[in-house]
Coordinates of all heavy atoms in Angstrom, one line a residue:
Chain A
S3 N 228.4 230.7 60.9 CA 228.5 230.1 62.2 C 229.4 230.7 63.2 O 230.4 231.4 62.7 CB 228.9 228.6 62.0 OG 230.2 228.6 61.5
V8 N 233.9 228.0 76.5 CA 234.1 228.6 77.8 C 234.7 227.6 78.7 O 234.0 226.5 78.9 CB 232.9 229.2 78.4 CG1 233.2 229.9 79.7 CG2 232.2 230.2 77.4
K53 N 254.5 219.2 87.1 CA 254.0 218.8 85.8 C 252.7 218.0 86.0 O 252.5 217.4 87.0 CB 255.0 217.9 85.0 CG 256.3 218.7 84.7 CD 256.2 219.4 83.3 CE 257.5 220.0 82.9 NZ 257.5 221.5 83.2
G55 N 250.2 215.0 85.9 CA 250.4 213.6 85.9 C 251.5 213.0 86.7 O 251.7 211.8 86.8
R66 N 257.0 220.8 100.3 CA 257.6 221.3 101.5 C 258.2 222.7 101.4 O 258.0 223.6 102.1 CB 258.6 220.3 102.1 CG 258.5 220.0 103.5 CD 259.4 218.9 104.0 NE 260.5 218.7 103.2 CZ 260.8 217.5 102.6 NH1 259.9 216.5 102.7 NH2 261.8 217.3 101.8
S74 N 243.2 216.3 97.9 CA 242.6 215.2 97.3 C 241.4 215.6 96.4 O 240.8 216.7 96.7 CB 242.0 214.2 98.3 OG 243.0 213.9 99.3
T95 N 222.8 231.9 76.2 CA 222.1 231.2 75.1 C 221.7 229.9 75.6 O 222.3 229.2 76.3 CB 223.1 231.1 73.9 OG1 222.4 230.2 72.9 CG2 224.4 230.4 74.3
Y101 N 230.5 220.1 77.5 CA 231.4 219.2 76.8 C 232.2 218.4 77.9 O 232.5 217.2 77.6 CB 232.4 220.0 76.0 CG 233.5 219.2 75.3 CD1 233.1 218.2 74.4 CD2 234.8 219.4 75.7 CE1 234.1 217.5 73.8 CE2 235.8 218.6 75.1 CZ 235.5 217.7 74.1 OH 236.4 216.9 73.6
Q174 N 244.7 233.3 60.6 CA 246.0 232.8 60.1 C 247.1 233.0 61.1 O 247.9 232.1 61.4 CB 246.3 233.5 58.8 CG 247.6 233.1 58.2 CD 247.8 233.5 56.8 OE1 246.8 233.9 56.1 NE2 249.0 233.6 56.3
V185 N 246.4 221.3 68.8 CA 245.1 221.4 68.1 C 244.2 220.3 68.7 O 244.6 219.2 68.9 CB 245.3 221.2 66.6 CG1 243.9 221.1 65.9 CG2 246.1 222.4 66.0
T203 N 253.0 223.5 62.6 CA 252.0 224.4 63.2 C 250.6 224.0 62.8 O 250.4 223.3 61.8 CB 252.3 225.8 62.8 OG1 252.0 226.0 61.4 CG2 253.7 226.3 63.1
A213 N 243.4 214.6 50.6 CA 243.9 213.2 50.5 C 244.9 212.8 51.6 O 244.8 211.8 52.2 CB 244.5 213.0 49.1
K216 N 243.1 212.5 55.0 CA 242.3 211.2 55.1 C 243.2 210.0 55.2 O 243.0 209.1 56.0 CB 241.4 211.0 53.8 CG 240.1 211.7 54.0 CD 239.1 211.4 52.8 CE 239.0 212.6 51.9 NZ 238.0 212.4 50.8
K245 N 225.2 206.8 76.7 CA 226.5 206.1 76.6 C 226.3 204.7 76.1 O 225.4 204.0 76.4 CB 227.1 206.1 78.0 CG 227.3 207.5 78.6 CD 228.6 207.6 79.3 CE 228.7 209.0 79.9 NZ 228.5 210.1 79.0
N247 N 228.9 202.5 76.5 CA 229.6 201.7 77.5 C 229.6 202.5 78.8 O 229.8 203.7 78.7 CB 231.1 201.5 77.1 CG 231.2 200.7 75.8 OD1 230.9 199.5 75.7 ND2 231.6 201.4 74.7
R252 N 238.5 201.3 89.9 CA 239.4 202.1 90.8 C 240.6 201.3 91.1 O 240.6 200.1 91.1 CB 238.7 202.3 92.2 CG 237.5 203.2 92.2 CD 237.8 204.7 92.1 NE 236.6 205.5 92.2 CZ 235.8 205.7 91.2 NH1 236.1 205.2 90.0 NH2 234.7 206.4 91.4
A260 N 243.8 188.9 98.5 CA 242.7 188.0 98.8 C 241.5 188.2 97.9 O 241.1 189.4 97.6 CB 242.3 188.2 100.3
Q294 N 243.7 193.5 87.4 CA 245.1 193.7 87.0 C 246.0 194.0 88.1 O 245.6 194.6 89.1 CB 245.2 194.7 85.9 CG 244.8 196.1 86.4 CD 244.6 197.1 85.2 OE1 243.7 197.0 84.4 NE2 245.6 198.0 85.0
R297 N 250.7 198.4 86.8 CA 251.3 198.5 85.5 C 252.9 198.5 85.7 O 253.6 198.3 84.7 CB 251.0 199.8 84.8 CG 249.5 200.2 84.8 CD 249.2 201.2 83.7 NE 250.0 202.4 83.7 CZ 249.7 203.5 84.4 NH1 248.7 203.5 85.2 NH2 250.4 204.6 84.3
S315 N 218.9 188.3 78.9 CA 218.3 189.5 78.3 C 218.8 190.7 79.0 O 219.2 190.7 80.1 CB 216.8 189.4 78.3 OG 216.4 189.6 79.7
L359 N 210.8 191.4 77.3 CA 210.7 190.6 78.5 C 210.6 189.1 78.1 O 209.7 188.7 77.4 CB 209.5 190.9 79.4 CG 209.4 192.4 79.9 CD1 208.2 192.5 80.8 CD2 210.7 192.8 80.5
I407 N 241.3 215.8 101.6 CA 240.0 216.2 101.1 C 239.5 217.5 101.7 O 239.6 217.7 102.9 CB 239.0 215.1 101.2 CG1 237.7 215.4 100.5 CG2 238.7 214.8 102.7 CD1 237.7 215.0 99.0

Side-chain angles (χ1 to χ4, degrees):
Chain A
S3 64
V8 182
K53 298 270 183 263
R66 222 174 23 241
S74 307
T95 173
Y101 177 65
Q174 179 168 341
V185 172
T203 67
K216 274 189 251 183
K245 302 218 182 307
N247 299 289
R252 294 280 182 282
Q294 63 193 72
R297 313 199 308 272
S315 71
L359 301 186
I407 189 85

